[in-house]
């Protein structure tokens, strides 16, 4: 049997030559056979460009359907797909290219000049709405490609996640990881060929690329392929959709639209939320407005999806439900002993979904696993001890210092190191403060050198040139001294209390 994820996807393509797959506003429908042929052409073109199974193909591109074909091409040819957030700037990209040494980099035409200077010897091709240089190469190629024979542990993708040390780590995901998780989700959420998934997420993270796309393709469903999340556009398309997946910001922005009504949401059988905590207020307001209950689930880049509230049964606000089929979750104390329900501890995961390790970081990988093979998520939580959500997982926070802004993870260390390097700055602490739109807003607290003025706008402006804008603090506050405990550790909880009410 071929463990290649594309072979699994292809086996689930709807029968009949021309089933619609992607519904794109203002553009022709893309049918399943067209997508398959486009991916074959790209696989042939990349093979001709020198790519071999195991080679990395790094992609920083807008959400054109050609990019989906490129992803499928990489899967079927055994190349390792490396998606990159379009917000990443030069220095971030240079690090990824040096670390992952891709054979090919696919980018937007407007960044070609920059990318060529940092691509580390990779061949650089553009992709745009018409296909770009990649499309030009693919056009002359055969529309057939024999999907390579893959082993379950062969790499399918590397997805970078920020780290507590400030250095990003590439999570190596295998065909088994992606396939097992996709099958578990299709079952848990009962996707069928009759579904139309409204897809407004970016396709460079696990949520939009794997969770949403795999659910749709493995059930022969259609997708409304929207270039980005625009609340007005989503409200307009929703009557023609049966399912939607989003981060909590999607739901708060929808609720802010007067045109978003019960009637608009009537045909949708499933609203899924993930990537950040969904506030119970949002959960309740959504139910009030639409009569529908958002299904909250929990996952990570390293593990794919771990738990989910049920499709049938109680969906409880503030919980993330039960482990998906084939996945084990445990909550343990500092000594590694399993906690009783109602007792908060570290959340650990085991199963076919758990990644193969951090790319070329064996030491770091070892640290994140227990001796008996469980992955430490870094999140803390408890099993709900009683009531209608009994035995559901409730997340209580994060042991690591991470901030989640609009569904994107930000590690303070990376930002603090950069702010500390500014002239006039003694030290800084970066925290997340409650924000009505992004859930948490990245905020910096800075101590200035005696007699030196700190220019908030200059810090923000410089950081925007250096790093992805979603990581840049929305505010920079200046104080005399950072509060520290007896061990000398900065007490970020006190800073969150003090500046929590001042977010814009
Ligand atoms: C954009 N901006 C942000 C964010 N996004 N600031 C903080 N946090 C953000 N997430 C800033 C931009 O830099 C810009 O700032 C201004 O907001 C407007 O930018 P724009 O691109 O127009 O923003 P937007 O289109 O409104 O985007 C907001 C968004 C987007 C729709 C919430 O961030 C989004 O699609 N988030 C989803 C992320 C996601 O897919 N996460 C899944 C990760 P300025 O004007 O100052 O330049 S996978 C995962 O977490 C795990 C595995 C899981 O369980 O799913």
């Amino acid at each position: 049997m071929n463990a290649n994820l594309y072979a699994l996807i292809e086996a689930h393509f709807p029968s009949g030559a021309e089933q619609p797959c992607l519904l794109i506003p203002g553009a022709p429908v893309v049918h399943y056979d067209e997508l398959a042929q486009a991916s074959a052409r790209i696989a042939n073109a990349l093979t001709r460009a020198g790519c071999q199974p195991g080679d990395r193909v790094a992609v920083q591109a807008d959400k054109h359907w050609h990019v989906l074909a490129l992803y499928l091409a990489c899967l079927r040819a055994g190349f390792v797909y490396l998606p990159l957030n379009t917000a990443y700037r030069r220095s971030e990209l240079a690090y990824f290219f040096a670390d992952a040494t891709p054979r090919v980099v696919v980018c937007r035409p407007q960044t070609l000049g920059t990318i060529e200077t940092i691509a580390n010897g990779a061949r650089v091709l553009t992709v745009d709405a018409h296909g770009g240089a990649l499309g030009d190469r693919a056009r002359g190629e055969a529309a057939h490609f024999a999907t390579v024979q893959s082993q379950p542990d062969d790499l399918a993708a590397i997805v970078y996640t920020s780290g507590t040390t400030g250095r990003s780590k590439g999570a190596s995901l295998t065909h088994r990881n992606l396939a097992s998780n996709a099958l578990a989700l299709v079952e848990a959420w009962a996707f069928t060929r009759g579904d139309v998934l409204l897809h407004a997420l970016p396709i460079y993270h696990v949520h939009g690329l794997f969770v949403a796309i795999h659910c749709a393709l493995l059930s022969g469903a259609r997708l409304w392929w929207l270039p980005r999340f625009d609340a007005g556009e989503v409200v307009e398309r929703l009557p023609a959709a049966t399912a939607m997946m989003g981060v909590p910001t999607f739901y708060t922005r929808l609720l802010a639209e007067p045109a978003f009504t019960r009637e608009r949401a009537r045909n949708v059988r499933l609203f899924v939320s993930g990537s950040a905590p969904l506030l119970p207020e949002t959960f309740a307001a959504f139910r009030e407005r639409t009569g529908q209950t958002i299904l909250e689930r929990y996952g990570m880049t390293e593990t794919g999806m771990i738990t989910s509230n049920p499709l049938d049964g109680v969906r409880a606000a503030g919980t993330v439900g039960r482990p998906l089929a084939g996945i084990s979750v445990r909550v343990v104390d500092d000594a590694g002993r399993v906690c009783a329900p109602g007792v908060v501890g570290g959340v650990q995961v085991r199963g076919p979904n758990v990644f193969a390790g951090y790319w070329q970081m064996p030491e770091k990988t070892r640290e994140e696993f227990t001796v008996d093979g469980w992955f430490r998520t870094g999140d803390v939580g408890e099993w709900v001890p009683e009531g209608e959500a009994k035995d559901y997982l409730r997340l209580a926070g994060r042991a690591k210092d991470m901030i989640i802004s609009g569904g994107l993870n930000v590690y303070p260390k990376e930002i603090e190191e950069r702010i500390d390097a500014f002239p006039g700055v003694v030290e800084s602490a970066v925290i997340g403060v409650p924000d009505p739109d992004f859930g948490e807003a990245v905020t910096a607290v800075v101590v200035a050198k005696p007699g030196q003025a700190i220019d908030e706008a200059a810090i923000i402006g410089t950081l925007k040139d250096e790093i992805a804008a979603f990581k840049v603090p929305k505010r920079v506050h200046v104080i005399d001294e950072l509060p520290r405990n007896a061990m000398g550790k900065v007490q970020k909880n006190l800073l969150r209390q003090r500046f929590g009410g001042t977010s814009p």
Side-chain angles (χ1 to χ4, degrees):
M1 219 192 88
N2 190 357
N4 189 294
L5 173 61
Y6 185 81
L8 180 74
I9 291 175
E10 195 175 34
H12 287 81
F13 274 4
S15 54
E18 281 215 346
Q19 295 299 328
C21 178
L22 304 175
L23 313 174
I24 309 174
V29 172
V30 177
H31 297 87
Y32 268 94
D33 58 344
E34 221 176 326
L35 187 61
Q37 288 167 14
S39 74
R41 287 198 174 91
I42 296 174
N44 283 318
L46 291 179
T47 302
R48 201 180 292 281
C51 262
Q52 291 174 5
D55 282 344
R56 275 76 60 209
V57 175
V59 180
Q60 190 193 37
D62 292 325
K63 194 177 163 184
H64 307 300
W65 76 267
H66 307 282
V67 181
L68 175 56
L70 170 61
Y71 166 59
L72 297 177
C74 290
L75 286 180
R76 65 192 298 185
F79 310 148
V80 179
Y81 192 75
L82 197 166
L84 293 165
N85 192 319
T86 48
Y88 289 142
R89 309 299 304 245
R90 188 176 200 282
S91 69
E92 294 162 308
L93 295 171
Y95 168 78
F96 297 131
F97 297 153
D99 192 52
T101 58
R103 171 80 60 178
V104 170
V105 176
V106 178
C107 68
R108 296 166 290 174
Q110 66 270 31
T111 60
L112 178 64
T114 306
I115 302 249
E116 277 181 332
T117 63
I118 52 174
N120 216 17
R123 186 181 288 261
V124 186
L125 298 170
T126 58
V127 66
D128 62 18
H130 308 290
L134 178 71
D136 292 343
R137 279 171 176 266
R139 213 157 286 128
E141 296 288 345
H144 297 281
F145 182 92
T147 298
V148 302
Q149 192 70 30
S150 300
Q151 299 303 315
D153 290 332
D154 287 347
L155 291 196
I158 297 177
V159 184
Y160 276 86
T161 67
S162 312
T164 35
T165 56
R167 205 181 144 201
S168 292
K169 304 162 289 182
S172 298
L173 300 164
T174 65
H175 284 266
R176 186 211 314 266
N177 293 152
L178 300 184
S180 67
N181 213 228
L183 290 170
L185 291 175
V186 169
E187 185 193 313
W189 298 339
F191 268 87
T192 69
R193 193 172 154 181
D195 276 310
V196 183
L197 176 69
L198 190 146
H199 193 300
L201 286 158
I203 53 168
Y204 37 68
H205 291 301
V206 166
H207 197 165
L209 181 61
F210 301 145
V211 181
I213 288 173
H214 293 167
C215 276
L217 296 189
L218 277 180
S219 49
R222 282 161 289 165
L223 297 109
W224 266 113
W225 189 253
L226 306 185
R228 53 184 288 277
F229 180 82
D230 174 273
E233 172 90 24
V234 169
V235 170
E236 195 178 314
R237 303 286 165 199
L238 262 187
T242 66
M244 183 184 122
M245 296 181 192
V247 298
T249 300
F250 285 19
Y251 294 107
T252 49
R253 288 191 184 179
L254 278 176
L255 286 168
E257 288 286 317
F260 179 59
T261 57
R262 179 178 284 251
E263 182 55 27
R264 288 264 143 193
R266 192 165 54 95
N267 295 331
V268 180
R269 67 169 186 89
L270 180 63
F271 285 100
V272 177
S273 178
S275 313
L278 181 73
L279 293 178
E281 300 91 279
T282 311
F283 179 94
F286 197 89
R287 192 183 252 177
E288 173 75 29
R289 175 84 66 90
T290 63
Q292 303 230 25
T293 308
I294 298 174
L295 178 151
E296 187 171 6
R297 56 59 176 181
Y298 163 54
M300 281 182 82
T301 298
E302 289 90 335
T303 60
M305 299 303 99
I306 302 170
T307 67
S308 173
N309 269 281
L311 186 65
D312 300 313
V314 175
R315 296 181 196 165
T319 80
V320 291
R322 300 276 307 141
L324 291 162
I327 298 175
S328 307
V329 178
R330 69 183 189 187
V331 175
V332 299
D333 65 17
D334 287 344
R337 285 175 305 237
V338 169
C339 296
V343 177
V344 172
V347 177
Q348 301 184 346
V349 187
R350 199 168 61 175
N353 57 314
V354 177
F355 75 137
Y358 294 112
W359 175 255
Q360 289 183 332
M361 287 187 179
E363 208 41 54
K364 187 78 202 156
T365 303
R366 253 190 306 278
E367 277 171 26
E368 302 295 334
F369 282 87
T370 64
V371 281
D372 54 346
W374 293 72
F375 174 64
R376 304 179 217 269
T377 63
D379 293 316
V380 291
E382 60 172 345
W383 297 111
V384 176
E386 58 195 11
E388 57 170 18
K390 184 169 175 344
D391 295 335
Y392 286 15
L393 185 65
R394 179 188 290 138
L395 295 173
R398 296 179 291 268
K400 296 171 185 167
D401 205 11
M402 189 179 72
I403 300 166
I404 309 183
S405 173
L408 296 171
N409 296 357
V410 180
Y411 278 89
K413 183 92 181 153
E414 179 186 357
I415 324 298
E416 288 162 1
E417 280 174 359
R418 288 184 184 272
I419 296 179
D420 292 350
F422 274 84
V425 171
V426 177
E427 59 175 351
S428 63
V430 169
I431 53 172
V433 301
D435 181 88
D437 189 30
F438 293 126
E440 285 184 294
V442 178
T443 300
V445 183
V446 170
V447 177
K449 288 183 182 153
Q452 301 250 10
I454 297 289
D455 182 346
E456 178 176 22
I459 291 186
I460 290 176
T462 307
L463 287 176
K464 275 195 181 166
D465 288 338
E466 295 178 353
I467 53 174
F470 68 84
K471 299 180 189 170
V472 175
K474 305 287 183 205
R475 290 296 314 272
V476 177
H477 302 282
V478 181
I479 59 174
D480 294 339
E481 183 176 19
L482 295 179
R484 293 181 187 274
N485 65 15
M487 312 291 289
K489 194 173 180 311
V490 176
Q491 290 170 298
K492 289 196 169 177
N493 53 332
L494 296 182
L495 293 176
R496 279 189 286 266
Q497 272 169 24
R498 176 160 169 200
F499 295 104
T502 60
S503 105

